[in-house]
Amino acid sequence: MVREQIEARGVRDPAVLAAMRAAPRHEFVEEALWPQAYEDHPVPIGHGQTISQPYIVALMSETLEVDPGMRILEIGTGSGYQAAILALMGAEVFTVERVPQLYEAAANRLHRLGFETVHVKFDDGTLGWPEYAPYDRIIVTAGGPKVPVPLVEQLADPGLLIIPVGSTKRSQRLVIIRKQGGRISKREKGGVMFVDLIGAHGWQG
Ligand code: SAH
C-alpha cells in the first residue's frame, strides 16, 4: 500500500510513511471488508460514511507538517484511522465525531488498540473543541461549504488548518489556512471528494 499508492504518488515525509506502515488499517473496518482494507479507495464504515483512501490520508498528513508533541484537532473521527496516523506521528490528537455510533465505535477501537494520546468527543465539530484550544494543527476530514469560523479562532499562531471546501456537495478543493504573526493566508491544493461536513458551520443535515 505505502510503496504503490503513497510513495509512488510523491508523498515523502518519513514520519507519514512510517506511521502508515505501522497502523493496522484493517482494524478500522469491519471484518467482512478486511480484504479491501489496504486497497486504493475509500471503504464504507456504516452510516453513509467512509474511511478515506490511504493516499488522501497520507497527503493530508504530509500537508499538515506535523512535528512530535503537536496538539492536533481533527473534525470527523469516522473510523479513527486518520487520528491513529497522527498519533503515530507523535501528536496529541483531539477528534470530534457527530454520528453517535461512529463516535462510540472509534473511541472503543482506539482504546483497544492502545492509542492513549487520542481523545474522542461526540459533538458538532464545526464548533471545534474550545476546552483544549488553541491547536497547532486542525484537520477536517469532511467537505463543507466554507471554513468554519470557530476553527480559525481555535487555531494557534503559528498554525495550519486543512479542510476540503466546495460550493456543492461531493466535490471540494483542499484549502490550507496558515496563521502566522497574526496574519492569515490561504492556498488551495487539488480537487478531492469527501463526505459532507454537517453542522452549524457546515451543510445543514
Ligand atoms: N477521518 C475519518 C474519515 C471519516 S469520514 C477516518 O479516518 O476514518 C468523515 C466523518 O466526518 C464521518 O464520520 C462524519 O460523520 C463526520 N462528520 C461530518 N460532519 C461532522 C461534524 N460537523 N462534526 C463531527 N464529525 C462530522
Side-chain angles (χ1 to χ4, degrees):
M1 177 187 90
V2 170
R3 194 177 57 242
E4 292 172 12
Q5 302 172 30
I6 295 171
E7 284 184 296
R9 292 190 180 114
V11 174
R12 292 285 174 264
D13 184 336
V16 173
L17 301 176
M20 295 203 57
R21 283 202 176 93
R25 185 170 157 95
H26 63 279
E27 293 279 6
F28 294 82
V29 300
E30 61 178 275
E31 202 167 337
L33 297 175
W34 280 6
Q36 295 183 37
Y38 297 87
E39 288 180 0
D40 195 12
H41 54 75
V43 179
I45 55 172
H47 308 276
Q49 310 301 325
T50 56
I51 176 175
S52 304
Q53 180 189 4
Y55 169 64
I56 293 294
V57 175
L59 180 69
M60 289 179 84
S61 302
E62 180 174 64
T63 305
L64 219 46
E65 300 173 14
V66 178
D67 285 324
M70 280 185 170
R71 293 152 47 81
I72 304 185
L73 174 66
E74 179 196 27
I75 309 309
T77 313
S79 67
Y81 180 71
Q82 173 75 71
I85 295 297
L86 296 172
L88 287 168
M89 293 172 72
E92 179 166 19
V93 185
F94 300 80
T95 180
V96 186
E97 172 58 52
R98 70 173 285 276
V99 174
Q101 297 91 334
L102 292 177
Y103 153 76
E104 209 175 305
N108 288 338
R109 174 179 295 128
L110 289 162
H111 178 73
R112 178 170 55 82
L113 296 174
F115 286 97
E116 286 168 12
T117 55
V118 181
H119 316 282
V120 193
K121 186 188 191 191
F122 167 59
D123 203 354
D124 171 8
T126 66
L127 302 169
W129 192 342
E131 289 91 326
Y132 297 103
Y135 302 96
D136 303 302
R137 302 287 185 260
I138 300 180
I139 175 172
V140 184
T141 59
K146 59 183 195 265
V147 181
V149 173
L151 299 187
V152 179
E153 288 170 353
Q154 291 173 35
L155 184 63
D157 185 345
L160 212 53
L161 183 165
I162 158 166
I163 174 172
V165 176
S167 52
T168 62
K169 293 184 177 184
R170 308 274 164 212
S171 147
Q172 307 91 19
R173 299 192 55 83
L174 228 37
V175 172
I176 299 146
I177 306 259
R178 192 179 288 271
K179 197 188 264 190
Q180 193 145 32
R183 296 228 315 265
I184 286 171
S185 60
K186 185 171 160 180
R187 69 185 175 93
E188 282 185 15
K189 238 178 156 128
V192 283
M193 257 176 73
F194 275 85
V195 297
D196 303 342
L197 179 71
I198 297 168
H201 298 267
W203 298 107
Q204 301 205 319

